[in-house]
Amino acid sequence: MSLPSPSLPVDNGGNTPARGDARPIGVFDSGIGGLTVVSALRRLLPNESIYYLGDTARVPYGGKSAATVQRYSLEIAQLLLGEQAKTIVVACNTASALALPALQERLPVTVTGVIFPGAQAAVAATRNRHIGVIGTRATIKSGAYERALLSLDPRVQIIARACPLLVPLIEEGWLESPITDQVLLQYLEPMLADGIDTLVLGCTHYPLLRPAIARLLGDTVTLVDSTENCARAVQHLLASSAQTAPPAGEGSLQVALTDPPDAFLNVAHEALQLQLGEIQLRAL
Ligand code: DGL
């Protein structure tokens, strides 16, 4: 597949034309949770435009097979390429765990997942090398976090746990609720007892529960997620491939969903303070 030239001349209002690549960064998630990654990208790379696709018609991915998640991810990637994406960010832990190699192998653009950046954040944060990971069933079952963590530091001890009840609670907007606290406690107590000092929030929805988790775990456990490190990885990738957006002007954010938005969009919108504009509806 051929894409437009990555280096486009841009009139910056001065005498010398600035050059840059104004094509958007394509970002996708199984739903709205990946907007946590978009929020970090917007903060770090305000000049970059972003086209975000949330596959709300088929969410959740967390209980689906690897073959299905790979097929969905490739379909979405084709849509993003149709939007001229210059690089693709898989803002979903489940899709990163199950489909990243397939995407990297088959797509004509670079692809960044969220697992490795999350593992990097954990290895940088831990003092006792005892790391907990929470995520969807599919993410935990894949062992992707263990592989990434051990590749960064073979001495780390890891306790990983699937937390399938968290995504529905978050989507319901129960970010601050005694029921959510109970569920969190049930999931996290064994990890605390195991002596972790760092917890990876291995699902793009979970940063929305950060205040509740931090309150429950206190200050002995550092919470890390992929969002900031993922945004930094994209920044580095764009700079090293001369694909950075033109310096003048603000990047735009286009959000598209595969099913009409529900109340969760408002939850994410309020929690992340993103300007979402008009939401497009796209079929895959
Ligand atoms: N966004 C997904 C992830 O990060 C969680 C939701 C789902 O199960 O699809 O794993």
Side-chain angles (χ1 to χ4, degrees):
M1 178 171 308
S2 72
L3 291 168
S5 156
S7 193
L8 310 168
V10 173
D11 180 4
N12 65 354
N15 294 331
T16 350
R19 293 183 75 84
D21 188 339
R23 292 176 300 161
I25 300 170
V27 183
F28 78 90
D29 178 38
S30 54
I32 305 290
L35 288 176
T36 54
V37 176
V38 169
S39 176
L41 284 167
R42 295 292 284 160
R43 277 196 304 275
L44 190 67
L45 303 168
N47 297 332
E48 296 291 342
S49 291
I50 295 174
Y51 191 98
Y52 178 89
L53 191 285
D55 192 7
T56 47
R58 302 187 293 198
V59 70
Y61 285 8
K64 295 194 166 69
S65 69
T68 299
V69 173
Q70 280 173 18
R71 177 163 57 83
Y72 289 177
S73 300
L74 285 162
E75 285 169 7
I76 295 170
Q78 289 308 325
L79 182 148
L80 294 174
L81 292 177
E83 294 298 329
Q84 310 305 325
K86 59 185 170 186
T87 188
I88 289 179
V89 178
V90 186
C92 172
N93 285 264
T94 307
S96 297
L98 302 180
L100 192 65
L103 292 167
Q104 286 174 330
E105 209 177 293
R106 296 193 208 172
L107 299 183
V109 297
T110 50
V111 187
T112 307
V114 283
I115 305 271
F116 197 73
Q120 280 177 315
V123 168
T126 187
R127 294 165 304 281
N128 70 1
R129 293 205 171 88
H130 206 152
I131 298 171
V133 181
I134 54 174
T136 64
R137 279 206 173 95
T139 298
I140 299 303
K141 191 169 155 227
S142 75
Y145 268 104
E146 280 93 334
R147 284 194 295 281
L149 287 163
L150 289 169
S151 76
L152 290 163
D153 183 350
R155 292 163 300 177
V156 290
Q157 258 182 283
I158 304 153
I159 173 167
R161 175 133 206 212
C163 302
L165 291 178
L166 296 185
V167 166
L169 288 167
I170 295 166
E171 299 227 336
E172 201 56 32
W174 292 9
L175 306 184
E176 297 288 342
S177 142
I179 294 171
T180 306
D181 287 357
Q182 281 281 312
V183 172
L184 281 171
L185 213 58
Q186 183 91 10
Y187 284 139
L188 300 178
E189 242 168 6
M191 296 190 154
L192 269 183
D194 211 53
I196 61 161
D197 77 346
T198 301
L199 179 68
V200 183
L201 307 182
C203 169
T204 45
H205 279 59
Y206 297 173
L208 297 174
L209 281 184
R210 198 178 251 271
I213 298 175
R215 207 177 42 246
L216 288 176
L217 295 186
D219 51 17
T220 51
V221 178
T222 306
L223 301 184
V224 300
D225 63 56
S226 318
T227 54
E228 298 297 327
N229 269 10
C230 179
R232 272 195 286 272
V234 174
Q235 180 184 41
H236 179 74
L237 189 70
L238 293 178
S240 62
S241 53
Q243 286 184 311
T244 304
E250 220 179 288
S252 61
L253 170 60
Q254 175 66 63
V255 175
L257 302 176
T258 52
D259 205 46
D262 62 9
F264 182 49
L265 189 62
N266 293 332
V267 174
H269 181 213
E270 272 172 37
L272 299 172
Q273 315 227 304
L274 276 173
Q275 294 303 321
L276 297 180
E278 201 181 318
I279 311 290
Q280 274 182 10
L281 202 56
R282 297 290 300 263
L284 287 166

